[in-house]
Amino acid sequence: MIDLISDTVTKPTPQMRRAIAEAEVGDAQRGEDPTVNRLQDAVCELLGKDASLFLPSATMGNQIAYKVHTRHGDEIIMDRLSHPIHFEGGSPAFLSGVMICQMNGDRGVFTAEDVLAAIRPDDPHSPRTRLVSVENTHNLGGGKVWPLGKLLEVCEAAHENGLHVHMDGSRLMNAVVASGISARETTAGADSVTLCFSKGLGAPVGAALAGSKDFIKEARRCQQVFGGAMRQSGIIAAGALDGLQHHVERLIEDHGNARLLAERLAREDGIAVDPAEVETNIVYFRVDGTGMSAADFVARLKDRGVRMGAYKDGRIRAVTHLDVGESDIVKAVDAIHQMLADFDAARV
Ligand SMILES: *Cc1c(COP(=O)(O)O)cnc(C)c1O
């Protein structure tokens, strides 16, 4: 199976498994796991933040951030396609009792003007606007990288109005590699940042949340409340450290493979895709012109050994990662080409 369903499907490399097997461990909940501590230090260094926490998932990172930054009844500004709105089980409402003010951004990217227009008046009739949450890269936005200028303008607009900024940087390192702008610079305007190790970085489990010392002190309490404080979690932190050390620069290969996939797909009749929109490792395309629904296309393709995801809006998503190479991409497009030919032949 050539699995393009997500970059979460990567398996730890032999080297990563060795690092995991040999990890020094202790009781992380007491701050005594040396590998977790090393990872947290590495994240602070990478992002230029004062403190960080190792967590089981990026979902938990986002939800702890929302819990710390807001009070019940507050409002968070974020793009309408954001991960926490669609894929985190309703947790902003479930766990923090907040409302979301949805921006109509361009593939996940909105503007400082959008933020200013969305900020509520200081009036007891209105919810209190408290936080702006940006996603970088933007998943449903097609792996789009926030342009730094726009990002800084949004952060400035937020800060000038007393709001905090959270960055869901689950795929931050894809943004860093694609833009050539350091992680520190990319996250400089954000008060808190979530980073995921089990996406393109290829670790089996884990994420980090970073911010100021005061922010992380509160986050640590929420980690305990949400049941995310772990024990000998150096076992998994070792995988995350290995991913940070060895799998960042190579993300450029995933981006090249995604671009190649889009360019090849664009040659197929009935497939609509814009290769110029592929900035990182995510490709969205439509198959309306093939006579198949997205769900049907994906089901038939799976029978031919290639897995992709179909969305309700009719888009199909393919994600490149550590465990697929250029030759897999060529094979995947060949399988699609043959599938379309067979489908057309059967219709005549
Ligand atoms: C995957 C993802 C998450 C959640 O990550 P988990 O570690 O699976 O909980 C959050 N935000 C974005 C943008 C993601 O892509």
Side-chain angles (χ1 to χ4, degrees):
M1 180 71 75
I2 298 170
D3 200 350
L4 300 168
I5 192 90
S6 176
D7 46 7
T8 56
V9 299
T10 55
K11 308 259 170 54
T13 61
Q15 173 183 297
M16 186 179 280
R17 284 179 187 271
R18 261 196 312 280
I20 288 169
E22 290 164 8
E24 264 190 274
V25 297
D27 190 339
Q29 209 179 103
R30 297 175 193 276
E32 293 170 0
D33 188 302
T35 307
V36 168
N37 292 343
R38 248 192 328 126
L39 175 62
Q40 291 176 169
D41 290 347
V43 168
C44 290
E45 180 64 26
L46 177 72
L47 304 182
K49 302 292 181 203
D50 290 334
S52 82
L53 272 183
F54 180 52
L55 298 169
S57 71
T59 297
M60 188 179 281
N62 288 339
Q63 295 316 318
I64 289 176
Y66 296 163
K67 190 74 191 164
V68 175
H69 285 302
T70 67
R71 282 197 274 161
H72 268 60
D74 285 352
E75 195 167 51
I76 303 178
I77 292 171
M78 69 177 87
D79 186 75
R80 67 191 167 85
L81 299 177
S82 298
H83 194 278
I85 296 179
H86 297 282
F87 304 118
E88 299 185 14
S91 51
F94 198 122
L95 297 171
S96 296
V98 291
M99 316 224 316
I100 308 284
C101 184
Q102 301 193 13
M103 300 292 97
N104 191 15
D106 172 18
R107 293 187 294 136
V109 173
F110 49 89
T111 65
E113 292 73 52
D114 294 335
V115 171
L116 293 174
I119 294 173
R120 305 277 190 171
D122 181 11
D123 178 315
H125 295 88
S126 305
R128 185 163 27 201
T129 311
R130 186 74 85 168
L131 181 70
V132 176
S133 190
V134 295
E135 186 173 315
N136 195 19
T137 66
H138 204 286
N139 176 10
L140 282 175
K144 184 164 177 56
V145 179
W146 266 81
L148 186 63
K150 281 199 163 170
L151 180 59
L152 291 175
E153 283 169 19
V154 160
C155 295
E156 196 178 299
H159 290 146
E160 277 174 358
N161 287 279
L163 312 182
H164 284 144
V165 177
H166 173 69
M167 183 183 289
D168 176 356
S170 290
R171 294 196 179 82
L172 174 69
M173 299 320 291
N174 293 89
V176 166
V177 166
S179 67
I181 298 167
S182 73
R184 276 179 179 240
E185 224 181 315
T186 304
T187 62
D191 301 285
S192 57
V193 181
T194 302
L195 186 64
C196 190
F197 301 114
S198 65
K199 299 267 166 80
L201 299 183
V205 193
L209 177 63
S212 69
K213 282 213 160 65
D214 285 347
F215 171 83
I216 291 296
K217 184 164 181 252
E218 279 306 302
R220 178 83 184 71
R221 172 174 290 277
C222 291
Q223 178 189 22
Q224 186 69 23
V225 169
F226 291 169
M230 299 177 279
R231 301 297 187 180
Q232 284 72 36
S233 42
I235 286 285
I236 50 177
L241 267 171
D242 184 83
L244 272 184
Q245 276 160 16
H246 302 290
H247 297 158
V248 172
E249 278 161 35
R250 65 151 304 286
L251 289 172
I252 203 80
E253 294 170 31
D254 296 345
H255 299 175
N257 287 335
R259 179 64 82 101
L260 175 68
L261 176 64
E263 283 166 356
R264 294 289 174 93
L265 284 174
R267 295 185 197 162
E268 299 296 325
D269 286 340
I271 293 185
V273 60
D274 183 356
E277 285 191 351
V278 177
E279 295 177 39
T280 57
N281 67 329
I282 301 178
V283 179
Y284 281 97
F285 61 98
R286 301 191 71 94
V287 296
D288 309 81
T290 64
M292 274 179 249
S293 70
D296 191 21
F297 182 98
V298 162
R300 286 167 187 263
L301 188 58
K302 196 173 171 203
D303 289 340
R304 292 172 185 252
V306 181
R307 190 159 74 138
M308 296 180 177
Y311 287 74
K312 229 176 69 183
D313 64 7
R315 289 192 298 170
I316 293 173
R317 187 184 80 159
V319 187
T320 58
H321 53 77
L322 188 60
D323 293 354
V324 290
E326 191 179 319
S327 62
D328 295 314
I329 298 301
V330 172
K331 276 188 217 155
V333 179
D334 285 347
I336 288 171
H337 185 83
Q338 195 57 48
M339 179 178 87
L340 294 176
D342 292 349
F343 182 74
D344 278 344
R347 278 206 298 185
V348 174

